Amino acid sequence: MAKVTIIVPIYNVEKYLRKCLDSLINQKFKDIEIWAISDGSPDNSVDIIKEYQERDSRVKCIEKENGGYGSVLEYAIQNITTPYFLICDPDDWISEDAVEVLYNTMIDNNLDFVRASYYNVYSNNMEMIPQEGFSYPDIFKPEEKKVYSGDDAKMFLFMSDSPHSKMFKTEIAKTIEFPHHVSFTDGILYKMYISKADKVMFINKLLSYYLIDREGNTFTDIKPKIADQHFIVFQSIFDQYDKCEQKTDLLCFRNFLQCKYVNIEIARIREKDVYNNKKQIIYKMYKKCRKYNKQINKCLLLESNKERLAYRLLLNPITSKIAFEYFSNKIWKEQNHK
């Protein structure tokens, strides 16, 4: 009986898939199953999966109609039967001891969640840059191998939400909802999961390899439509927060901070008129945050005096439009004059 499922969401990645699958079937930890899920992939990815399925019975080739990354996560999480799972994107790969280290850490410490470090890998020269995943180190930087529980565990919301080097407990993730046909839904999984988890840990061991600059991935493929997709993900998190029996103010604050991140992403579009059009979606996100003003303001003490002032101006109905235009123009100039 497998103890861990590795979910591999697949769409148009035949060039990278063998390297990924090789890293999975060669894990030191053998009690795994590998769900390689083709999300209606139009290339030869399914043929490659079937080849591996014939070689190793732990590999399961699953084909479904295209519904986007979130639909793959939804299908997998609702149907896997192992107590734990992790995600490996098909253009990435993991070290041979990755599952062993993550699983043993979970069991030995009775955790709901564990995350480790990873490498950012650049395709032009295969340079590998170690990443601890501290997205907001001024707010939170965890101690290694310390068990964080209760409200302290929720501080993990301020770490990166990419799926790399993370292990989840399946039963906690079952209630998370995912919109279809949009990207960035790994952010929903991470944020909603951490808001529900009770005991979590960070270990500073490099366990996965993230091919960060692959053509077509969400990091490099900056198109105007991503603003709309970010809004759907942003709204989904608030909708699920509203339905939570046990709410954490930190989830509202973390979702609020996402507005600035999305603004920076959209500002990488060099056409100023396109940016000016799409940034209105970001302003719509800030307006949505006013509903959660009380929760967000409770968390502003985590930020510097300068940031607190800026955020209060953005949340205030009287000053928000002027403040938003000022900060947006500043961000666009910063992104386009590097």
Side-chain angles (χ1 to χ4, degrees):
M1 178 71 73
K3 297 180 176 69
V4 177
T5 300
I6 305 175
I7 301 168
V8 189
I10 295 167
Y11 186 82
N12 239 14
V13 286
E14 61 178 329
K15 179 179 177 181
Y16 310 96
L17 188 52
R18 292 182 186 277
K19 186 177 184 69
C20 172
L21 292 176
D22 283 340
S23 77
L24 304 185
I25 64 175
N26 290 317
Q27 286 295 297
K28 289 181 179 179
F29 188 91
K30 303 301 182 184
D31 295 335
I32 62 173
E33 58 183 21
I34 300 161
W35 282 33
I37 304 175
S38 170
D39 188 37
S41 185
D43 63 359
N44 295 315
S45 292
V46 169
D47 292 335
I48 295 172
I49 302 167
K50 288 180 178 178
E51 173 192 324
Y52 277 79
Q53 182 176 243
E54 290 180 4
R55 289 167 47 191
D56 192 322
S57 62
R58 298 174 302 171
V59 178
K60 301 183 186 303
C61 179
I62 299 169
E63 299 179 67
K64 60 180 286 299
E65 292 184 4
N66 180 259
Y69 197 96
S71 73
V72 174
L73 296 182
E74 177 183 78
Y75 174 86
I77 293 168
Q78 291 303 317
N79 288 282
I80 60 177
T81 58
T82 57
Y84 303 97
F85 73 90
L86 59 87
I87 300 164
C88 184
D89 286 342
D91 51 345
D92 304 327
W93 63 98
I94 60 178
S95 63
E96 65 178 7
D97 63 340
V99 178
E100 179 180 65
V101 170
L102 293 171
Y103 179 80
N104 288 341
T105 303
M106 289 281 270
I107 297 301
D108 292 346
N109 297 279
N110 191 27
L111 300 175
D112 294 327
F113 174 78
V114 62
R115 61 175 299 153
S117 305
Y118 57 94
Y119 290 103
N120 279 349
V121 182
Y122 293 85
S123 56
N124 60 336
N125 58 5
M126 295 306 286
E127 180 183 12
M128 299 182 183
I129 308 297
Q131 303 291 315
E132 294 174 313
F134 301 157
S135 291
Y136 296 89
D138 293 338
I139 295 178
F140 179 66
K141 185 176 180 180
E143 297 177 35
E144 186 186 5
K145 297 183 179 179
K146 175 182 175 181
V147 177
Y148 290 82
S149 59
D151 291 341
D152 290 339
K154 307 303 184 281
M155 294 300 291
F156 272 60
L157 283 164
F158 301 101
M159 299 184 71
S160 68
D161 53 16
S162 70
H164 308 96
S165 299
K166 296 176 173 66
M167 184 169 283
F168 303 85
K169 186 178 285 187
T170 305
E171 64 178 334
I172 296 176
K174 290 282 189 184
T175 59
I176 298 173
E177 300 170 4
F178 299 95
H180 293 192
H181 298 290
V182 296
S183 300
F184 316 112
T185 44
D186 51 346
I188 294 177
L189 172 63
Y190 183 72
K191 294 182 185 76
M192 294 310 305
Y193 188 93
I194 292 298
S195 72
K196 300 171 185 289
D198 184 57
K199 295 178 68 177
V200 304
M201 180 183 286
F202 166 73
I203 52 175
N204 194 11
K205 186 172 176 61
L206 296 154
L207 296 181
S208 59
Y209 300 80
Y210 172 28
L211 190 62
I212 192 170
D213 60 345
R214 172 179 71 83
E215 183 180 355
N217 75 8
T218 54
F219 182 81
T220 57
D221 193 21
I222 303 301
K223 296 179 180 178
K225 67 179 182 180
I226 72 168
D228 306 83
Q229 296 187 22
H230 273 296
F231 181 81
I232 293 170
V233 168
F234 167 89
Q235 184 63 58
S236 175
I237 290 172
F238 273 142
D239 288 345
Q240 293 184 65
Y241 168 85
D242 289 340
K243 293 186 287 187
C244 286
E245 292 182 7
Q246 292 183 319
K247 295 179 169 61
T248 171
D249 296 335
L250 287 172
L251 179 60
C252 293
F253 184 50
R254 178 63 182 86
N255 213 29
F256 168 73
L257 293 179
Q258 194 71 9
C259 301
K260 181 178 178 180
Y261 169 79
V262 176
N263 205 342
I264 292 170
E265 284 291 288
I266 302 303
R268 291 164 63 191
I269 300 171
R270 294 189 177 275
E271 295 82 2
K272 187 67 181 292
D273 58 336
V274 176
Y275 169 68
N276 283 338
N277 177 266
K278 285 300 179 181
K279 76 180 184 183
Q280 299 310 312
I281 293 174
I282 303 157
Y283 182 60
K284 186 178 177 183
M285 292 167 69
Y286 277 117
K287 288 177 69 175
K288 287 278 185 182
C289 288
R290 292 179 198 163
K291 176 181 175 182
Y292 308 94
N293 199 17
K294 181 180 178 181
Q295 294 90 333
I296 293 169
N297 271 289
K298 286 181 183 178
C299 304
L300 286 181
L301 289 175
L302 295 169
E303 289 280 18
S304 66
N305 289 334
K306 182 179 178 180
E307 293 288 354
R308 286 203 297 272
L309 175 60
Y311 292 151
R312 285 188 173 122
L313 290 172
L314 286 165
L315 285 167
N316 187 313
I318 297 173
T319 59
S320 63
K321 187 64 175 178
I322 295 173
F324 175 72
E325 290 297 331
Y326 171 80
F327 290 120
S328 293
N329 288 330
K330 186 172 182 289
I331 286 171
W332 190 85
K333 288 177 182 177
E334 288 172 350
Q335 290 299 306
N336 289 280
H337 291 83
K338 290 183 176 179

